[in-house]
């Protein structure tokens, strides 16, 4: 019996061996050490206010599970309360709550863009966006990273070759592996010029940037041609994702979006936690300010050590290059008590394996200095 099972699984074992030989084999490991890897930017995941809000909801009778899809009995008061608060906070006409950022991106791109439309994706957008584009009805093209001219050239070429549908420009406001910002003003202008929609994933900007953490799209919210995904599992410290859009697009998703229609609704307790996080953003702006100060401090310390980074955000990539080197460096830092992970292809382009250092309110300035000193010692100051 075991030999039969081994025979059936041999192709999978072989694929895993290929990854192992290339130092790309992934495995699960527990939390350990000082947090320089999570996306809990504002330290809300364990915040007392978040715990208190969820406990109060439990005591008031809020169920753990929704018990069904939103279109059946799963539509709870907590979901609707969250969506109303989110729309008001972000300045959007409406909001729709999904179980996660991945499913939200996938859901939008497999539902709203139609056959005959064109998606123009920044080449470094999240895997969920690429998967949604591949699975959806619309055609799609990749544009050079953060290059509005490339986006426009792609649109013009498609039109010149007979494309007549709607254009969808898709970007992240803050890129998760490089820590750089999208040229949103130029992309908004492009969308207007070409009568296009602009879809922006704010996963790493929500809660961190914009007035009271409303994100980098805040100046443009409320526009008919803008759709934004605000992930709730990062700076908001919970889980899920909020899609902000016009009422027409929200109604269309409620009626046509299969990942929304045929999925059990997110836990009402999660909705409670996300709503509390949005209230914290408004009532405790010092969290956002402290993080901004920590980010500035870290980049200043890096410059003093002679290290240059393409990032000025809370996401700091340290490019190593080869996969094995990145893994060795990550292991060395973990042994010294810092939770820093190596990021390898296909998450990042080949030859750019790196450490992704994430700055959160879970660390202090002294922790940052100790981490940078350890990096300097382990690399002999040769980090790029």
């Amino acid at each position: 019996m075991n030999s039969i099972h081994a025979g059936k699984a041999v192709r999978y074992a072989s694929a895993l061996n290929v990854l192992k030989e290339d130092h790309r084999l992934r495995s699960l490991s527990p939390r350990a050490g000082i947090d320089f890897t999570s996306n809990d930017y504002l330290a809300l995941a364990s915040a007392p206010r978040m715990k208190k809000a969820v406990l109060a909801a439990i005591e008031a009778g809020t169920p753990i599970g929704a018990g069904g899809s939103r279109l059946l009995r799963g539509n709870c008061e907590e979901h609707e309360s969250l969506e109303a608060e989110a729309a008001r906070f972000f300045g959007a006409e409406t909001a729709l709550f999904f179980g996660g950022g991945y499913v939200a991106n996938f859901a939008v791109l497999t539902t709203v863009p139609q056959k005959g439309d064109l998606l123009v994706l920044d080449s470094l957008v999240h895997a969920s966006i690429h998967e949604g584009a591949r699975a959806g009805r619309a055609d799609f093209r990749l544009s050079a990273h953060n290059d509005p001219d490339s986006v426009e050239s792609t649109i013009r070429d498609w039109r010149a070759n007979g494309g007549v549908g709607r254009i969808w420009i898709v970007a992240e406001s803050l890129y998760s592996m490089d820590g750089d910002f999208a040229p949103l003003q130029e992309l908004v202008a492009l969308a207007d010029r070409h009568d296009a929609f602009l879809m922006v994933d704010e996963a790493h900007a929500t809660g961190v940037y914009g007035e009271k953490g409303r994100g980098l799209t805040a100046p443009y919210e409320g526009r008919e041609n803008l759709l934004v995904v605000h992930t709730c599992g990062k700076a908001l410290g919970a889980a899920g994702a909020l899609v902000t859009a016009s009422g027409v697009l929200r109604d269309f998703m409620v009626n046509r979006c299969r990942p929304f229609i045929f999925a059990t609704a997110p836990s009402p307790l999660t909705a409670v936690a996300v709503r509390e996080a949005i209230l914290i953003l408004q009532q405790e702006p010092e969290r956002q300010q402290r993080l901004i100060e920590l980010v500035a401090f870290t980049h200043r310390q890096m410059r003093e050590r002679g290290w240059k980074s393409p990032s000025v955000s809370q996401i700091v990539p340290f490019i190593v290059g080869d996969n094995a080197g990145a893994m060795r460096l990550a292991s060395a830092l973990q042994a010294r008590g810092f939770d820093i992970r190596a990021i390898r292809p296909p998450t990042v382009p080949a030859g750019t394996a790196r450490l992704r250092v994430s700055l959160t309110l879970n660390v202090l300035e002294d922790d940052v200095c100790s981490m940078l000193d350890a990096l300097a010692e382990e690399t002999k100051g040769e980090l790029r």
Side-chain angles (χ1 to χ4, degrees), residues 14-342:
S14 177
L16 290 173
N17 285 333
V18 170
L19 293 175
K20 184 176 181 179
E21 290 171 1
D22 195 30
H23 302 279
R24 290 191 295 126
L25 185 66
R26 295 181 173 102
S27 60
L28 300 175
S29 57
R31 300 181 181 202
I34 300 172
D35 176 16
F36 281 103
T37 197
S38 83
N39 298 317
D40 183 24
Y41 300 127
L42 298 179
L44 291 184
S46 298
R49 268 191 67 171
M50 297 281 278
K51 295 177 182 178
K52 185 176 179 180
V54 172
L55 285 172
I58 292 172
E59 291 174 358
T62 300
I64 295 171
S69 73
R70 291 283 298 277
L71 287 171
L72 297 177
R73 194 175 170 82
N75 187 41
C76 300
E77 178 185 349
E78 291 80 7
H79 300 127
E80 296 197 344
S81 178
L82 165 61
E83 290 166 345
E85 179 64 29
R88 188 197 63 76
F89 173 68
F90 290 114
E93 185 178 351
T94 66
L96 190 62
F97 189 44
F98 284 86
Y102 192 109
V103 71
N105 280 329
F106 186 87
V108 169
L109 291 171
T110 54
T111 303
V112 187
Q114 300 297 295
K115 184 176 177 62
D117 290 352
L118 174 69
L119 300 171
V120 184
L121 315 181
D122 185 288
S123 60
L124 294 187
V125 289
H126 192 263
S128 58
I129 295 175
H130 286 281
E131 291 301 314
R134 280 194 282 265
R137 300 175 180 85
D139 195 3
F140 72 93
R141 303 280 189 279
L142 302 182
S143 61
H145 178 55
N146 275 351
D147 187 344
D149 290 337
S150 176
V151 175
E152 185 150 43
S153 176
T154 301
I155 293 171
R156 293 191 186 282
D157 289 347
W158 185 74
R159 291 289 191 208
N161 286 309
V164 296
R166 184 76 65 185
I167 304 293
W168 285 78
I169 300 168
V170 187
E172 295 182 35
S173 60
L174 171 57
Y175 285 87
S176 61
M177 291 299 140
D178 291 271
D180 55 344
F181 299 99
L184 285 181
Q185 186 173 351
E186 291 90 339
L187 295 180
V188 168
L190 267 176
D192 289 345
R193 190 157 60 246
H194 291 279
D195 194 24
F197 280 97
L198 175 62
M199 175 181 170
V200 181
D201 183 350
E202 286 260 51
H204 296 273
T206 302
V208 179
Y209 296 98
E211 182 186 4
K212 295 185 178 178
R214 290 173 57 210
L216 293 165
T217 56
Y220 313 107
E221 268 288 13
R223 299 167 65 96
E224 186 182 15
N225 66 338
L226 178 66
L227 185 150
V228 180
V229 177
H230 293 281
T231 300
C232 307
K234 297 178 173 61
L236 299 188
L242 288 155
V243 175
T244 58
S246 68
V248 170
L249 290 186
R250 183 187 191 276
D251 289 345
F252 189 82
M253 285 187 283
V254 168
N255 281 274
R256 297 288 295 275
C257 180
R258 296 176 70 84
F260 178 84
I261 295 168
F262 296 107
T264 296
S267 166
L269 293 177
T270 302
V272 168
V274 174
R275 187 173 185 274
E276 186 66 19
I278 291 174
L279 295 176
I280 290 173
L281 294 183
Q282 299 170 77
Q283 297 164 6
E284 300 181 18
E286 63 272 17
R287 285 181 181 268
Q288 185 186 12
Q289 184 58 39
R290 281 166 47 209
L291 180 60
I292 289 170
E293 291 170 357
L294 182 67
V295 170
F297 173 83
T298 302
H299 286 281
R300 190 162 59 247
Q301 291 294 315
M302 290 169 58
R303 289 192 297 272
E304 290 177 3
R305 289 165 169 77
W307 295 341
K308 296 180 180 179
S309 171
S311 162
V312 293
S313 71
Q314 79 275 20
I315 299 167
V316 186
F318 290 95
I319 307 299
V320 177
D322 67 289
N323 301 338
M327 291 297 288
R328 283 195 299 270
L329 182 56
S331 294
L333 291 168
Q334 289 162 15
R336 297 176 69 145
F338 303 102
D339 190 0
I340 298 176
R341 312 292 175 99

